Amino acid sequence: MFARQFRVKSNTAIKGSDRRKLKADVSAAFPSLTADELCELIPNKEELNVVKIYAHKGDAVTLYVLHKNPLFFELEKRLYPTVYVLWRHPALLPTFRTWPPVLEKLIGGADLMLPGVVAPSGGLPNVKRGDCCSVTLVNNRAPVAVGNAASSSEEMLSAGMKGRGVCVLHAYMDHLWAFGDKSGPPSFPDAEGEGQERCEEEEEEQLSSEKVKDQPCCGSEALSLATMDALLLQCFLHALKRKVKKSELPLLTSTFLRNHMFSCCPSGKQLDIKKSSYKKLSKFLQAMQKQHNLIRVKELTKGVESIVEVDWNNKELRYFKVVEETNGDAAAAAQDGGEAEPPYHPPEITTLYSVSARLEPLFLDANKRKGTILQPAEVRHIVTEYVKKNELVDENNKNYVTVDPTLCDCLLEKSEYQEVQSLKWDDLFGRALGKMAECYEVVFPGHAPVRKKGHMEPIDVSVASRGSNKKVTLIKNLDAYGLDPAAVGAALQRRVQASSVLQPVPGSKDKVVVQIQGNQIHQVGRLLTDYYQIPRKYIQGLDKAPKSGKK
């Protein structure tokens, strides 16, 4: 639920009556808490804040925050503890154990599936469908996630431990955790947890082997250790410079390898840590930390390492140049079984303004005639120079500009001629831009700029009904942004496992609309904004995504 950034609506100090009500609600929801423990969690005199937020799906949530750490969150009139509370009271909720590699999936918003649950010798906790429960990792009883049981314990066992186990609402390292002090979980040894290190090594080996299978082979000769070490460093620097954002930190090392380093491997080569002198990802990252001072790695959860800091000013990183692949490289990759399609780069769209006939007198001193296209900054500069040249700045208040006959004719309405004697600077610039004809410039990589009148039409995403209560998602105007509708449809089809087709746009010869089964607005938004990097302001209709529903 908090895998993506939420929006804060209000942040106020709690009232005395609300504090007493919160205590009573917490005591009723979690009866195992003693009176002293309750007073420690919700002290009578320390400042406690009520923060109302909207989750990324539109759900209204109330947070109760003490010392900048969220203690509880209220969703649909039900209280849930955060990991900060559970680290102080790990036995507060029924607990399901899982392996450390699963934590990465939970952080990304996934639910805990029953095949990943490690059943203790005493059996599963006794829960009913919808009961609040927590998730811990093997070898540490400190909870790392909170959610609701997807079914009762009996139903889980009768289903052969298949299907969804816990519907996760909040997890360690998500945005709700980041709203606090970002501290790591304490270490509460779990006597039944064994084999964790072996499991993580197997996961790392599996990640490497899976990527090797997916990547094209560059020949029968194996890369030497030195060559593989150089390739590792190249992909590492490339990933830090182009892929990793500061907002992503702390970043799981396994996520960094899978999502960033592998994607930076040049076409025709394969990245295999086992064939390097380091042999393991952890040793390679330790070398990057100690010898190159590029990153700082920390074990935030026992057995799970994360990159917590990147030195963006490091000279080695600053002077590293990413080698762009040429068309020849792409063709060679295609022959070896890779994809020859060049990567998509979104166009640069700039809003411009054309001098209208009415505003021409205002721009004569700058030799700008009717039809001249200007940047917004150029308009502000020309108007400012006109005001200074004609000494129109109000002597008593520098924030105002006196309206002379030219400004009156160009910027005021007829009803304002006798009433408005001066304008604020912002109002002056706003009126000037408002009276000009809007146009825009589109620049695709490798192509000459194209200027057109009007405004850039956004990509339109909508939902339509087909037949009896069947819905389809329609995506229009992709070609204006240089996107291939067929490629977008195929990508969506793989993501949501639903059929997609291209339909011709009525009244147009060469334009098509992508149609995909179901209400897929949320997935379409993620694909366009995250993968294709289209700015959200150029996508219309994302607000029509379903607000709630089963995960």
Side-chain angles (χ1 to χ4, degrees):
M1 183 175 194
F2 303 104
R4 297 180 65 181
Q5 185 63 54
F6 51 78
R7 178 169 61 90
V8 176
K9 179 184 177 184
S10 63
N11 187 344
T12 57
I14 196 170
K15 298 178 182 178
S17 57
D18 291 336
R19 188 190 297 261
R20 290 190 293 272
K21 181 178 182 302
L22 175 62
K23 272 191 175 182
D25 291 343
V26 172
S27 179
F30 311 106
S32 61
L33 288 173
T34 65
D36 291 340
E37 291 173 337
L38 192 60
C39 288
E40 182 185 358
L41 283 175
I42 310 174
N44 291 325
K45 296 186 178 180
E46 296 186 36
E47 184 176 353
L48 183 68
N49 284 36
V50 180
V51 182
K52 295 186 177 181
I53 65 172
Y54 288 113
H56 71 278
K57 288 188 176 180
D59 299 303
V61 183
T62 301
L63 309 181
Y64 296 96
V65 182
L66 177 68
H67 300 152
K68 298 183 179 181
N69 276 346
L71 300 180
F72 299 92
F73 64 96
E74 186 176 352
L75 175 65
E76 297 178 352
K77 297 183 179 181
R78 184 176 181 182
L79 278 174
Y80 297 88
T82 67
V83 291
Y84 291 109
V85 168
L86 293 176
W87 291 341
R88 295 159 68 178
H89 303 280
L92 187 63
L93 300 175
T95 298
F96 290 86
R97 289 192 308 156
T98 187
W99 297 105
V102 179
L103 175 60
E104 176 189 345
K105 304 295 183 183
L106 302 182
I107 295 170
D111 293 332
L112 178 64
M113 308 305 287
L114 289 175
V117 172
V118 180
S121 57
L124 294 176
N126 186 18
V127 296
K128 297 179 181 179
R129 182 190 296 268
D131 281 358
C132 185
C133 50
S134 63
V135 180
T136 64
L137 302 180
V138 171
N139 284 348
N140 192 356
R141 294 186 296 108
V144 294
V146 181
N148 294 321
S151 57
S152 66
S153 304
E154 293 78 9
E155 291 172 335
M156 294 178 187
L157 294 173
S158 63
M161 294 300 287
K162 294 181 180 179
R164 185 176 283 104
V166 179
C167 299
V168 175
L169 297 174
H170 157 54
Y172 163 58
M173 290 182 70
D174 66 5
H175 285 278
L176 179 57
W177 167 83
F179 195 69
D181 60 14
K182 298 184 181 180
S183 58
S187 178
F188 297 132
D190 184 358
E192 293 188 357
E194 296 180 355
Q196 177 180 357
E197 184 177 352
R198 174 181 55 81
C199 178
E200 290 205 352
E201 288 181 0
E202 290 176 357
E203 185 214 14
E204 184 178 307
E205 184 176 354
Q206 182 182 2
L207 283 176
S208 182
S209 61
E210 286 179 356
K211 189 63 184 180
V212 168
K213 292 178 182 177
D214 293 340
Q215 290 181 333
C217 180
C218 62
S220 59
E221 296 182 2
L223 292 170
S224 65
L225 291 180
T227 305
M228 183 56 71
D229 288 352
L231 182 60
L232 269 176
L233 181 59
Q234 176 187 337
C235 296
F236 174 79
L237 294 173
H238 186 170
L240 289 184
K241 192 155 189 173
R242 290 287 182 88
K243 302 287 184 179
V244 179
K245 298 178 182 178
K246 191 174 182 179
S247 59
E248 292 182 273
L249 301 179
L251 178 65
L252 290 173
T253 56
S254 56
T255 302
F256 176 69
L257 174 66
R258 178 191 291 113
N259 295 349
H260 299 312
M261 284 188 64
F262 280 145
S263 63
C264 293
C265 187
S267 299
K269 294 184 179 181
Q270 57 188 36
L271 191 63
D272 189 352
I273 297 177
K274 298 293 182 183
K275 295 181 180 179
S276 70
S277 62
Y278 303 101
K279 304 300 181 186
K280 295 178 65 176
L281 175 63
S282 57
K283 292 184 178 180
F284 170 72
L285 293 179
Q286 287 297 327
M288 296 300 102
Q289 174 175 296
K290 295 179 179 179
Q291 301 174 14
H292 298 257
N293 296 319
L294 282 161
I295 58 172
R296 187 163 68 88
V297 179
K298 188 175 180 182
E299 193 177 90
L300 297 179
T301 302
K302 188 174 182 181
V304 181
E305 290 186 336
S306 298
I307 298 175
V308 297
E309 187 178 330
V310 177
D311 184 5
W312 307 104
N313 295 320
N314 184 285
K315 289 185 178 181
E316 188 173 4
L317 182 59
R318 286 171 56 192
Y319 295 141
F320 174 76
K321 291 184 179 181
V322 177
V323 179
E324 302 292 349
E325 294 189 11
T326 62
N327 293 333
D329 294 333
Q335 292 176 358
D336 289 335
E339 294 183 359
E341 183 180 350
Y344 172 80
H345 296 285
E348 293 183 8
I349 304 171
T350 307
T351 301
L352 304 174
Y353 294 89
S354 174
V355 178
S356 60
R358 181 174 178 178
L359 264 66
E360 190 173 16
L362 183 59
F363 290 86
L364 282 178
D365 291 343
N367 294 321
K368 306 298 181 184
R369 301 291 179 177
K370 176 186 174 183
T372 304
I373 296 177
L374 302 171
Q375 298 266 6
E378 293 178 293
V379 176
R380 295 174 66 93
H381 175 73
I382 292 173
V383 173
T384 302
E385 290 300 316
Y386 175 86
V387 171
K388 290 181 179 179
K389 180 180 179 181
N390 293 276
E391 299 179 352
L392 299 178
V393 179
D394 194 317
E395 295 182 357
N396 298 322
N397 190 340
K398 303 293 184 181
N399 294 325
Y400 284 85
V401 174
T402 303
V403 177
D404 68 349
T406 300
L407 292 179
C408 179
D409 293 338
C410 293
L411 304 181
L412 299 185
E413 302 296 335
K414 289 185 178 180
S415 60
E416 297 176 320
Y417 283 177
Q418 303 300 325
E419 299 177 0
V420 179
Q421 304 298 324
S422 60
L423 294 171
K424 282 189 174 182
W425 280 102
D426 288 344
D427 191 14
L428 180 71
F429 296 135
R431 287 172 179 256
L433 293 173
K435 300 294 182 182
M436 300 178 74
E438 187 175 337
C439 51
Y440 63 93
E441 180 182 79
V442 182
V443 181
F444 287 96
H447 294 78
V450 177
R451 290 183 174 181
K452 295 183 179 181
K453 294 182 180 179
H455 62 278
M456 184 76 171
E457 289 189 23
I459 297 174
D460 183 70
V461 184
S462 60
V463 176
S465 297
R466 296 285 188 270
S468 58
N469 202 28
K470 291 184 179 180
K471 297 186 181 298
V472 295
T473 303
L474 305 175
I475 313 164
K476 305 175 184 176
N477 206 32
L478 290 169
D479 51 342
Y481 294 80
L483 288 169
D484 180 9
V488 174
L492 281 172
Q493 187 171 354
R494 290 192 299 270
R495 284 192 174 210
V496 303
Q497 296 299 305
S499 64
S500 67
V501 294
L502 300 181
Q503 300 283 1
V505 176
S508 177
K509 294 182 180 179
D510 54 353
K511 291 188 178 181
V512 296
V513 57
V514 177
Q515 174 181 303
I516 188 163
Q517 286 184 347
N519 186 341
Q520 309 294 353
I521 290 183
H522 181 64
Q523 290 292 341
V524 171
R526 290 183 61 185
L527 179 70
L528 295 177
T529 57
D530 297 346
Y531 183 75
Y532 289 113
Q533 300 295 310
I534 301 292
R536 194 179 181 88
K537 65 180 179 179
Y538 293 118
I539 307 174
Q540 175 180 286
L542 295 184
D543 55 331
K544 298 175 184 176
K547 298 297 182 183
S548 61
K550 294 182 179 179
K551 292 184 180 181

